[in-house]
Every structure is written in C-alpha cells, then in structure tokens.
Amino acid sequence: AEIVVPEGHAPAVDGQQFWPHLVELYIPPGTPPGAYTGTWAGLPVALTVWQHTLPANLNFHVALNSYGRVHGMYGVNDGESDAALAVERAYHRIAHRYRCTWQPLGYGHGGTQDWGAGPLVTADGGLDWTNFERRWGSYLDGSAFADLPRAGVPLAYVYLTLAEHWPTPMTAYQWQPTTTDWPDSLIEHALGAPPIAEAFPPDYAQRFEDVTTQIAQHTVDQGWQATTFHGYLNDKYNYKDPAQGGRGVSWWLLDEPAHRDDWLALKWYGDLFRAGHQKVPGAPLVWRADVSRPQWQRDYLDSSMDLAVFGGEYFTYQRRMSDWLRDHNAVTWVYGTANPPGQSNLTLIGWCLRAWLAGADGVVPWNSIGNPGSYNQPDETGLMLPGAPVGVDGPLPSLRLLAFLAGQQEVERLALLAAQRGWTREQMAQALGSVLQLEVATESRFAEDAGTFRFDQLTPAQVERLRQVVAAELERTP
C-alpha cells in the first residue's frame, strides 16, 4: 500500500546547513493494518499499522494545569469577546489533539472569579449559567473537537469555582486578628482562631452545600456526564503577605496543606461538598485535593478525597499511599514540573510510565502556559506557547507536549495489555522490569516546590523496545 506524506520545509537561516524536521501522521481508527511505504522530502518512509486501536476516551490523564486566562497575550482585552473565546478554544484544541486536557483554574487568591469560569449567584439564591455555557458549552458537548482525531469527545474534566470565597465571600469569616502586621496576624490566627466550623455563620456552610447540589443537578440536567467537575481549593495564606501582593483571603494552605488547621479546613469543605453532591445520584462531581506531603496527612482526609493529586513524595511512600487510596476509594494523579527545555524530553515519557505502573491514573504539570518571552528564556512551564514570535497566528505546542503524548499513548497500550491479560499494575511492573529502568529522582528547591523528576537510566532504546514488545503482545492476543 502507498501513503502520501506531505513534504516539509523550513525557512533558511544564514549559514544553516541542517534542518530538524518533525513529521506527524495521524492513523485513524479503521485503517487496515499492514506495512505502508511513502516518501517525505525525497526520503523513503516505512510505516507499520498495527491492529490494536487506542481508545478515544482517555484512561490516563495528562492534566495541563494553568491559572487565569490567555487572551491578553494576543492583544485581546475584552475577556467576554468572541476573540477572547477563540484564543481559548485554540488552546483547548491543541491539548485535545495531543491526548491531553487543558485545565485552567478560574479563580484567584484574592477572591476573584474569571468571567464565565462558573455560574453566577442570582439575587434569589439560584445560579445563572449563561456565561459559563457560552464559554464552556462546546467543550462539554464535544462539538469544539468534532474535526480532531478524538472527534467529538468532550473535555475530560474542568475545575469548579467553589472556594472558601465562593459562593459566599470570605467577609463572612467572623474571626479577625488584632494586628495587620505580617506574619504576626498569621501567628495570631494559628494560636487563637476557633475551629473553622465555628468561625463561619451556619448559613455559610449551608450555602456551600446547597450550591454544590445545584451544580450537581445542572450537570445531570444538561447531560454533561462525559466530563468530570472538580471541586478543588487552591488558595494559600502566603498571599496575605505584602511581599506576595497582600491580596490573599485564605487563612489556610488549601493547596499543599502543611499544618493541622490546613488539613481540618480541607476536611470540612470536603464534607460539605460530599453532602451536597450526594443529593444528586450520578452527578459527575469529584472532590479533589493537591497534597505535596501525603506522609503528613495522618487520618485527616480519610474517605474525604475522590481524587488525590500527590506530589513526588507519592513515589517515596508508594506502598503506604497505595494502601490508603485503596482503603478510602480514591484515585490519584502525580503532579510536578515538566523538564526544562535543555534536558531530555524522555523525562515526560518516564513520568507517565512510572506513574501508571505505580497505580496513578494521571500526571499534572503544575503550569502549562508559556508566554512570548519563553522563546528567549525557555521555561519548564511553557508547554503551549503563543505563536506570534515565530509568525504563527495562535498557540503552538512545544516538543514537550508531544513527549507527553508519547507517554500517554504508551500507558494506554499498557492498560490494554493489562486488561487483556487480567494483570494488575504491580504485575505489569514486574513483567517490564527487564525492559524499562524507571528509577526516579525528584529535584525540589523548597518544600512546596512541585519538583522536577529525573529518570537518568531510561533511554530511547528502552522506550522503543517497550513499544515493540507491547505491540507484539497485543497483536497476538485473540
């Protein structure tokens, strides 16, 4: 059989003699298996199409976390405009194309809410979904992705805007320090504030629970069953510090908890969320917490989290945390930082493989949005970049995003093989021990640093051997 691969080209640079090229070729489901040949730029190309097909719905997640919105980098000032939504749509489509999910958080440490990030609270206590549905509707019904490889598959998950300051602002908090000096006010809070349930009026807790119920009911009414809605608390007391802008409203580390009161606050909000969610059976809501120090959580969050997003310490305390996840009916993702552009992108494939074999169902680079300056000062978080500096209208994927794609696809094929064999992930890890060297080291600059993973013994040859071995097994499995 013959395939036609379009020829590529690159603009000439003075003195340049060699040009790197990246060729992408999507093989749609239903393509007859077998050997194909073709040419690209005058060079022969050989391609083998296997019988097995990767699922359109993701079983392993690469969650491209970010904060705020992106249209400002494109000179668009009106966040409610069609132009702003078009910019955002391009980012969602790039992530979707490469089997990832872009997940921007829609609220900030200062109690702010991005336009359309969630419903609006109406005067009668109801919720107005107009702006949210304008911004998110085509992603939740899949129409925004109708012409992409995973055609029509809706977003896998989105953040909710439930927070300590929404639906009721933090002005409801009844404890106040006697000083505004920092960190004296924080110390005073730690020593003198009552338990969180006693520091808010009863209607604050009831409102949080009731709004969760309203959200759950709306997702069912709209048929948004293919998307998971994450209740998640991100704010930290650090942002009360004038050196951090002094804009913070939280008295707790709700993201990356460290102290007793942080864990108790997360537990309290989680219980309210669960109580509201459970009134609507079948609603696709989950309570999520991002925990950098799972070894410190004792029993504070037992049976509280549906989705536990652990940092690199998960690999250190894997057995302990795996038992905890099993006992409390939770799943986990592993968060960290993508490798710097100057280091091997093989790191991201190793991260995906190591996480899945260790029992995780996803990975989370803590930030994924680059800016125009990322071309001159490459950064770990620039996974999707504005194309204007290189003459492209719209965003571009970095090579590291394609490395995540490669890792996600290899995990999907391991999951197919495990299902066919009836093997656990622990058995899969044992079977692949002679193929892959996935010893992991985590580099962190400080306790709250998401950390960067290193897989110093993993080689491209090992990944290629994995691909061939798994493919051979899948092809001969009835």
Side-chain angles (χ1 to χ4, degrees):
E2 289 289 331
I3 58 172
V4 177
V5 182
E7 294 191 358
H9 62 84
V13 177
D14 289 346
Q16 186 172 355
Q17 300 181 41
F18 302 96
W19 287 261
H21 292 279
L22 176 66
V23 179
E24 294 181 42
L25 185 62
Y26 169 63
I27 310 299
T31 301
Y36 290 75
T37 60
T39 60
W40 179 82
L43 301 174
V45 176
L47 179 69
T48 299
V49 176
W50 291 319
Q51 297 182 65
H52 62 276
T53 301
L54 297 184
N57 292 303
L58 305 174
N59 295 301
F60 183 82
H61 299 283
V62 179
L64 301 177
N65 188 68
S66 72
Y67 306 92
R69 303 188 66 189
V70 292
H71 57 272
M73 290 190 292
Y74 295 81
V76 179
N77 297 320
D78 182 358
E80 301 181 29
S81 66
D82 289 342
L85 297 182
V87 170
E88 194 165 77
R89 181 185 180 96
Y91 278 81
H92 279 296
R93 283 172 55 83
I94 282 180
H96 196 280
R97 175 181 178 83
Y98 294 110
R99 299 182 68 86
C100 302
T101 302
W102 180 38
Q103 190 177 21
L105 185 68
Y107 65 83
H109 294 280
T112 57
Q113 302 273 325
D114 292 340
W115 178 87
L120 296 174
V121 178
T122 61
D124 62 358
L127 298 179
D128 181 350
W129 292 85
T130 304
N131 293 340
F132 178 87
E133 292 186 6
R134 181 177 168 223
R135 183 177 172 188
W136 294 92
S138 65
Y139 309 127
L140 301 179
D141 66 18
S143 59
F145 313 118
D147 58 339
L148 294 182
R150 296 188 297 122
V153 175
L155 278 184
Y157 36 85
V158 298
Y159 282 123
L160 296 173
T161 51
L162 287 163
E164 77 282 7
H165 51 71
W166 192 89
T168 306
M170 273 292 287
T171 51
Y173 195 61
Q174 296 176 332
W175 183 91
Q176 294 297 322
T178 61
T179 177
T180 58
D181 292 342
W182 184 265
D184 295 350
S185 59
L186 179 65
I187 296 170
E188 185 180 350
H189 181 268
L191 294 175
I196 185 171
E198 299 175 15
F200 285 109
D203 62 344
Y204 174 94
Q206 190 61 54
R207 187 71 182 127
F208 194 95
E209 180 180 328
D210 290 347
V211 166
T212 300
T213 300
Q214 292 180 60
I215 291 171
Q217 187 62 57
H218 192 75
T219 64
V220 172
D221 293 344
Q222 295 298 111
W224 293 337
Q225 299 296 102
T227 302
T228 302
F229 294 80
H230 290 181
Y232 164 68
L233 303 180
N234 179 71
D235 295 335
K236 299 181 176 183
Y237 61 59
N238 306 57
Y239 292 88
K240 287 181 174 290
D241 183 351
Q244 298 289 335
R247 66 188 188 278
V249 298
S250 175
W251 283 106
W252 312 276
L253 297 175
L254 298 172
D255 172 48
E256 299 178 315
H259 315 295
R260 181 205 60 176
D261 287 353
D262 306 335
W263 302 104
L264 293 177
L266 280 172
K267 173 69 171 175
W268 187 68
Y269 282 110
D271 288 346
L272 295 174
F273 180 90
R274 190 177 297 273
H277 173 207
Q278 289 178 342
K279 296 175 185 176
V280 187
L285 274 62
V286 302
W287 184 247
R288 162 181 171 171
D290 288 16
V291 178
S292 57
R293 309 170 186 87
Q295 70 275 21
W296 291 4
Q297 70 186 41
R298 297 183 176 88
D299 60 353
Y300 292 131
L301 299 183
D302 285 3
S303 300
S304 175
M305 292 186 286
D306 302 302
L307 173 59
V309 181
F310 291 141
E313 295 286 7
Y314 175 70
F315 294 135
T316 303
Y317 298 93
Q318 180 183 331
R319 173 57 62 190
R320 174 180 173 183
M321 300 321 302
S322 295
D323 290 346
W324 183 90
L325 292 163
R326 179 201 62 223
D327 293 344
H328 298 287
N329 195 31
V331 298
T332 189
W333 296 350
V334 179
Y335 81 89
T337 307
N339 60 279
Q343 296 181 10
S344 172
N345 294 341
L346 201 64
T347 297
L348 305 184
I349 300 176
W351 184 3
C352 292
L353 292 170
R354 182 73 169 81
W356 186 81
L357 290 169
D361 291 320
V363 296
V364 185
W366 73 272
N367 198 0
S368 58
I369 301 299
N371 57 60
S374 300
Y375 290 94
N376 297 321
Q377 293 184 332
D379 60 85
E380 295 93 331
T381 61
L383 302 180
M384 295 187 288
L385 303 167
V390 292
V392 174
D393 183 15
L396 290 172
S398 74
L399 291 178
R400 288 171 296 159
L401 194 64
L402 274 66
F404 271 128
L405 166 67
Q408 198 282 337
Q409 291 183 129
E410 291 313 307
V411 168
E412 289 282 14
R413 296 191 314 114
L414 288 178
L416 286 174
L417 183 58
Q420 290 182 0
R421 293 287 184 86
W423 287 3
T424 66
R425 297 193 203 182
E426 189 172 11
Q427 290 172 315
M428 290 292 291
Q430 289 293 324
L432 295 172
S434 62
V435 178
L436 295 171
Q437 299 296 316
L438 288 174
E439 291 79 4
V440 58
T442 304
E443 294 180 344
S444 298
R445 294 166 295 176
F446 46 88
E448 289 79 15
D449 185 13
T452 301
F453 301 115
R454 292 201 334 265
F455 295 89
D456 295 335
Q457 299 183 54
L458 183 64
T459 67
Q462 292 175 25
V463 174
E464 179 59 25
R465 176 163 167 72
L466 171 73
R467 185 176 294 116
Q468 297 297 331
V469 166
V470 173
E473 292 298 311
L474 288 171
E475 296 298 285
R476 70 184 184 89
T477 301

